Amino acid sequence: CCMRVQRVINRSDPKGGRCAYTFIVPQQKMTGALCVNTASANQSEVQALRAELKRQQEQMDRLRGQLEQEGVLVMEVRALRKESNNMNSRIAQLYAQLLNEVITKKDQILEQKRVESLLLNATAQALQVSNNYRELEKKYGALTSMMSTQNQFISRLEKQCQCKNSPHTTVVSVYHNYSSDANEMTNDVQRDQSLPAAQQQENSMLVGPLPTTAADALTEPPFISFPVTKTPGPWRDCQHVLDSGEVTSGIYLLRPQGTNRLLQAWCEQSRSQGGWTVIQRRQDGSVNFFRTWEQYKQGFGNLDGEYWLGLEHLYWLTKQSQYKLRVSLEDWQGRQVFAEYNSFHLEPETDWYRLRLGHYHGTAGDSLSWHNNKAFTTLDRDKDSYSGNCAHFQKGGWWYHMCAHSNLNGVWYRGGHYRSRYQDGVYWAEFHGGSYSLKRVSMMVKPI
Ligand SMILES: [Ca+2]
């Protein structure tokens, strides 16, 4: 362990042949561990100690390494424990959540069951109500038909009385208002167009303005007076009747061009230059106008009283050429006004007899243009623009919109102003408003 330091500082150039110096630096004083030359010490002992030291050092290193490893493990364990705690709390939380959800779901199922049972109850009630409504409708239909039958019967009796009182009056029975079954009377004015041709021919003998036999007169009591005409007809329309020289207002047999459809209508030949085919008339409330689609299609009422010509007839009639429409109105003070439309026709049944109307002029005010281009609606066929059925509220059939500025097929109330839950009177809004039921109303068409 002993060190001797010897440094050569400089050396002269050997080529110059000069002397060379050699400095010998004295041994430095040792400040570190004393280096003792113990030659006398036991070498083997030292070596043993050294080996022991080395071994212990190695052991210490190993222990340190183990310690370090254990430290890491401890840290890991701590981290794991922490994580485990977190997991536990998370699981507890999730469990609580799950429990809550299960409870909520149970509640929901109960609620759902409750709502379902409510719904079932409501449906059953609705069915019950609709059944009741249907029953009521049936009863109402039966009552109205009974009422109109009675009305007819009364008017028939009245006519018979008149006939008996004035035996000189020329009357002709031409008009089947009763079916062959005496117990079941109808008030459809037009003949059934679906009858076979042979039967139609037979019937046409009865509906034409020809005198009937005494037997006919017995079985069909006469009650309608027909004008005596030069020719039996049928005519295209009432203008055709007028052009043929028939100037008396009354019932005539018509057959629109292009059809085999025979129909009867009242021809108005004295008012507004004549030639008018009356398609609707109200005057005394004798006929119920709250009818079905089929009845509005075929027509109903009494030709010399209140009646509706029928949409199908009206369709074929106004299909022949350009027609205009005249609406005549009279209030309960006797004031008369009119509304005229310079064109008028209907679309076919496939388009629900949609109304096509021209421009208005007149004295009544325009309460029909609002219904232009609207389909016809009845109680059993709702084609109006309203969410409900206008016919149900207005008690008639009309080209309802949402719902009506005019309701000439409504309920005929006596005296003008009426009180009703709905605006269901025979009204023309521009003339006295919707709460005034008019006394006399008629709708007529005439070719331009
Ligand atoms: Ca509707």
Side-chain angles (χ1 to χ4, degrees):
C1 77
C2 204
M3 286 169 71
R4 185 174 291 162
V5 181
Q6 195 177 58
R7 283 181 195 168
V8 177
I9 305 298
N10 200 3
R11 228 174 252 171
S12 61
D13 191 356
K15 286 174 186 172
R18 292 181 193 167
C19 296
Y21 302 94
T22 302
F23 292 91
I24 298 173
V25 178
Q27 196 177 4
Q28 280 180 351
K29 190 184 174 186
M30 296 302 290
T31 55
L34 191 65
C35 195
V36 185
N37 188 359
T38 50
S40 59
N42 193 346
Q43 281 280 336
S44 64
E45 225 173 300
V46 169
Q47 272 190 346
L49 277 171
R50 206 171 275 157
E52 178 64 18
L53 192 65
K54 200 181 172 188
R55 199 183 57 80
Q56 280 182 354
Q57 235 161 9
E58 279 173 3
Q59 208 168 354
M60 267 175 72
D61 284 346
R62 205 166 50 243
L63 280 169
R64 200 175 286 135
Q66 276 180 355
L67 205 65
E68 272 172 16
Q69 270 184 356
E70 272 171 17
V72 170
L73 274 174
V74 165
M75 292 288 281
E76 269 178 28
V77 165
R78 263 186 211 151
L80 280 171
R81 198 170 286 158
K82 200 175 173 188
E83 208 170 317
S84 159
N85 281 341
N86 283 346
M87 290 290 280
N88 278 342
S89 70
R90 179 77 190 130
I91 283 165
Q93 198 183 338
L94 282 172
Y95 182 72
Q97 208 171 322
L98 196 68
L99 212 65
N100 196 27
E101 270 174 29
V102 166
I103 289 163
T104 315
K105 203 158 271 180
K106 228 176 235 175
D107 284 354
Q108 276 177 352
I109 287 164
L110 282 174
E111 181 64 16
Q112 203 173 330
K113 270 185 190 159
R114 200 175 65 83
V115 168
E116 268 170 18
S117 75
L118 277 177
L119 201 69
L120 277 173
N121 276 345
T123 314
Q125 275 175 5
L127 275 172
Q128 184 62 41
V129 166
S130 90
N131 279 342
N132 289 349
Y133 182 73
R134 226 170 281 146
E135 287 287 311
L136 277 174
E137 258 187 347
K138 266 186 209 163
K139 279 181 194 163
Y140 182 75
L143 279 173
T144 51
S145 101
M146 197 191 289
M147 208 171 84
S148 67
T149 305
Q150 280 172 350
N151 277 334
Q152 274 191 333
F153 193 61
I154 289 163
S155 77
R156 189 172 157 172
L157 285 174
E158 277 173 358
K159 297 279 177 187
Q160 272 179 309
C161 289
Q162 280 167 14
C163 292
K164 276 173 189 162
N165 291 340
S166 53
H168 301 297
T169 314
T170 311
V171 285
V172 184
S173 169
V174 291
Y175 194 47
H176 277 271
N177 237 15
Y178 299 88
S179 68
S180 53
D181 183 1
N183 295 324
E184 189 195 343
M185 289 184 271
T186 71
N187 41 6
D188 291 341
V189 294
Q190 307 299 349
R191 292 182 309 105
D192 184 0
Q193 301 296 331
S194 61
L195 288 176
Q199 207 176 335
Q200 291 238 345
Q201 189 57 39
E202 190 192 328
N203 281 358
S204 73
M205 296 304 287
L206 295 167
V207 296
L210 297 168
T212 53
T213 62
D216 280 334
L218 281 174
T219 52
E220 295 287 329
F223 58 92
I224 291 174
S225 175
F226 273 75
V228 177
T229 58
K230 297 182 196 81
T231 55
W235 294 269
R236 287 195 301 277
D237 56 23
C238 293
Q239 181 65 53
H240 188 206
V241 173
L242 187 68
D243 294 343
S244 309
E246 311 292 349
V247 294
T248 315
S249 294
I251 297 164
Y252 289 85
L253 185 69
L254 308 180
R255 180 165 62 202
Q257 274 179 318
T259 71
N260 284 326
R261 181 168 289 274
L262 281 166
L263 63 127
Q264 292 172 295
W266 184 274
C267 290
E268 185 55 62
Q269 308 295 37
S270 49
R271 289 158 67 189
S272 315
Q273 289 90 49
W276 293 98
T277 309
V278 175
I279 62 168
Q280 187 262 20
R281 185 162 48 206
R282 308 298 296 275
Q283 56 187 25
D284 51 16
S286 60
V287 171
N288 171 30
F289 271 63
F290 197 21
R291 302 278 187 142
T292 62
W293 179 268
E294 195 55 32
Q295 287 171 315
Y296 266 100
K297 180 184 170 181
Q298 299 298 347
F300 55 84
N302 306 310
L303 288 168
D304 60 339
E306 296 199 324
Y307 80 96
W308 174 256
L309 184 74
L311 291 160
E312 191 63 20
H313 300 309
L314 199 46
Y315 164 69
W316 286 104
L317 197 67
T318 55
K319 200 176 188 276
Q320 300 180 92
S321 66
Q322 286 274 315
Y323 279 77
K324 60 182 176 181
L325 171 74
R326 186 181 171 95
V327 179
S328 296
L329 310 168
E330 187 184 320
D331 67 14
W332 288 84
Q333 280 71 47
R335 189 180 158 208
Q336 294 179 351
V337 291
F338 76 96
E340 225 174 87
Y341 296 85
N342 66 1
S343 75
F344 170 79
H345 75 272
L346 301 185
E347 297 296 340
E349 189 184 14
T350 50
D351 195 19
W352 319 113
Y353 300 115
R354 196 173 295 281
L355 176 65
R356 302 293 188 200
L357 210 58
H359 296 295
Y360 159 86
H361 82 272
T363 54
D366 181 7
S367 291
L368 195 57
S369 289
W370 195 61
H371 298 268
N372 193 16
N373 302 318
K374 298 290 170 287
F376 202 84
T377 284
T378 57
L379 187 64
D380 57 338
R381 210 159 296 186
D382 177 1
K383 299 292 160 195
D384 59 41
S385 332
Y386 176 62
S387 57
N389 184 347
C390 290
H392 171 74
F393 301 105
Q394 312 272 155
K395 306 277 191 302
W398 200 243
W399 298 274
Y400 290 120
H401 186 187
M402 8 192 279
C403 282
H405 284 186
S406 49
N407 192 38
L408 302 187
N409 291 338
V411 181
W412 189 90
Y413 288 104
R414 194 175 291 280
H417 288 288
Y418 63 95
R419 289 170 72 90
S420 171
R421 197 168 165 198
Y422 304 111
Q423 280 200 342
D424 53 7
V426 178
Y427 70 82
W428 187 268
E430 287 290 315
F431 183 52
H432 290 305
S435 305
Y436 186 98
S437 193
L438 296 161
K439 187 182 180 187
R440 282 176 198 280
V441 164
S442 67
M443 295 170 74
M444 311 177 282
V445 295
K446 179 178 173 174
I448 297 168

